């Protein structure tokens, strides 16, 4: 971990080392033309204070529709430490981050969002913990400026997921983290089309630590995560790391079956004691049938969700398709092949 000085290239092959260890900064972007210049300048300023390390800045552009890629290409033309990978279409935030990790050449990688709500000043404390032997160092959000209801929902979700998947999940931890090269190599061998990287990386860690920090306010543009996107991410976290929905469907089915038995006993007793009060049976029968159909549909939907994920898993498709590369030694086809190894 921290003591290792071996550096690997974008294919995961060992590369020559010289002097200070190389650290990869992973920055996923999507329509961030107002942020990229500021982000680049701030990252350069923050890393210049860490003279014991060398840095590369790897931007993964999730097929931005504005001038984000053009600005990044211009920055990379003047700085060989900046590398840019642009995708052929929008593959989503999780796959963008995963591809960034797999393309990283450093002995460790730090992922940070382009809006810099997560402060680059945390790089130093992250690297210090890494030097002490931690293979995953996670930023724990102590405070964030957002809707109180949304913040409360996040806190509740993290704690529920922790109960479902185990103590390795750190509550209130986001995507701002450092991971060791050993974790990156493990990620290169995992081909999961439905990612929840926060949970996956935590499950791969041998020694994980969280560092509290205060998240700042976003200055430019709007967050690309809407409520629907957050809900899908939350669902991915639960389904990817727990069989709880399947267990719930089983237990609910048992309860419904017991309820049906009790209802049958009730109608039988009512029939014997007060025959005139018992309906002819058509309404009750129809209600039970419709209720049973609805319940079966829900459970089949849950099963279909898991089966669909299994189907996507066995196809082993590339997580992303790269259309353009800047400051890479190989072409897009060669880089994509390396991501499937």
């Amino acid at each position: 971990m921290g003591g290792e000085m071996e550096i690997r290239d974008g294919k995961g092959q060992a590369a020559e080392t010289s002097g200070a260890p190389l650290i990869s900064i992973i920055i996923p972007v999507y329509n961030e033309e107002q942020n990229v210049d500021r982000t680049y300048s701030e990252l350069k300023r923050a890393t210049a204070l860490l003279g014991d390390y060398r840095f590369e800045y790897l931007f993964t552009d999730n097929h931005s529709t504005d001038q984000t890629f053009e600005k990044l290409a211009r920055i990379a033309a003047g700085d060989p430490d900046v590398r840019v990978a642009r995708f052929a279409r929008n593959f989503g935030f999780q796959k963008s981050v995963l591809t960034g990790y797999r393309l990283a050449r450093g002995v460790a990688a730090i992922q940070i969002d382009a809006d810099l709500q997560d402060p680059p000043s945390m790089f130093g404390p992250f690297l210090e913990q890494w030097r002490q032997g931690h293979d995953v160092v996670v930023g724990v959000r102590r405070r964030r400026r957002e809707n109180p209801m949304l913040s409360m929902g996040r806190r509740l979700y993290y704690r529920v997921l922790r109960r479902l998947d185990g103590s390795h999940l750190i509550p209130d931890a986001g995507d701002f983290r450092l991971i060791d090269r050993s974790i990156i190599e493990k990620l290169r061998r995992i081909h999961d089309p439905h990612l929840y990287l926060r949970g996956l990386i935590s499950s791969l860690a041998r020694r994980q630590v969280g560092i509290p920090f205060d998240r700042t306010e976003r200055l430019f543009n709007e967050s690309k995560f809407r409520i629907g996107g957050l809900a899908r991410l939350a669902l991915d976290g639960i389904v990817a790391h727990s069989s709880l929905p399947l267990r719930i469907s089983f237990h609910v089915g048992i309860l419904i079956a017991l309820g049906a038995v009790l209802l049958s006993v009730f109608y039988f007793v009512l029939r014997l004691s007060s025959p005139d009060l018992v309906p002819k049976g058509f309404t009750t029968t129809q209600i039970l049938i419709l209720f049973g159909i609805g319940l079966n549909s829900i459970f089949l939907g849950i099963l279909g969700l898991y089966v669909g994920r299994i189907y996507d898993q066995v196809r082993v498709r590339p997580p992303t398709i790269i259309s353009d590369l800047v400051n890479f030694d190989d072409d897009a086809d060669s880089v994509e092949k390396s991501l499937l190894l």
Side-chain angles (χ1 to χ4, degrees), residues 155-203:
R155 289 180 176 273
L156 178 61
Y157 170 74
Y158 289 137
R159 281 151 182 80
V160 169
L161 190 59
R162 181 182 172 88
R163 290 292 297 267
L164 294 176
D165 196 31
S167 59
H168 63 276
L169 295 177
I170 300 178
D172 305 316
D175 295 299
F176 184 38
R177 69 175 79 82
L178 175 149
I179 66 174
D180 182 68
R181 184 79 226 177
S182 61
I183 302 295
I184 295 175
E185 293 304 313
K186 292 176 183 176
L187 289 176
R188 293 176 61 84
R189 298 193 296 269
I190 294 175
H191 300 283
D192 188 345
H194 301 281
L195 292 165
Y196 185 69
L197 273 177
R198 299 176 189 178
L200 176 59
I201 289 175
S202 291
S203 68

Side-chain angles (χ1 to χ4, degrees), residues 25-28 43 46 93 97 101 109-127 136-141 144 158 170 172-179 197-198 201 208-216:
I25 308 297
I26 311 299
I27 313 103
L43 291 177
F93 176 77
V97 175
Y101 282 137
I110 301 175
Q111 191 261 305
I112 187 170
D113 293 342
D115 56 23
L116 295 186
Q117 287 184 277
D118 302 319
S121 59
M122 294 295 294
F123 290 174
F126 278 11
L127 289 165
V136 174
V137 184
V138 183
V140 181
R141 297 160 178 171
R144 55 192 302 163
Y158 289 137
I170 300 178
D172 305 316
D175 295 299
F176 184 38
R177 69 175 79 82
L178 175 149
I179 66 174
L197 273 177
R198 299 176 189 178
I201 289 175
Q208 178 179 230
V209 66
I211 302 180
F213 74 99
D214 294 325
R215 215 172 191 226
T216 61

Side-chain angles (χ1 to χ4, degrees), residues 91-111:
F91 288 91
F93 176 77
Q94 298 287 300
K95 292 182 179 181
S96 178
V97 175
L98 176 64
T99 300
Y101 282 137
R102 289 178 171 179
L103 293 175
R105 298 180 298 187
V107 294
I110 301 175
Q111 191 261 305

Side-chain angles (χ1 to χ4, degrees), residues 120 153 220 275 296:
F220 300 101
N296 285 331

Side-chain angles (χ1 to χ4, degrees), residues 305-326:
L305 180 64
Y306 280 90
V307 172
R309 287 169 176 262
I310 295 171
Y311 175 65
D312 289 338
Q313 180 78 39
V314 299
R315 289 189 293 179
V316 193
R317 292 187 175 184
T320 53
I321 303 298
I322 299 173
S323 61
D324 299 281
L325 294 170
V326 182

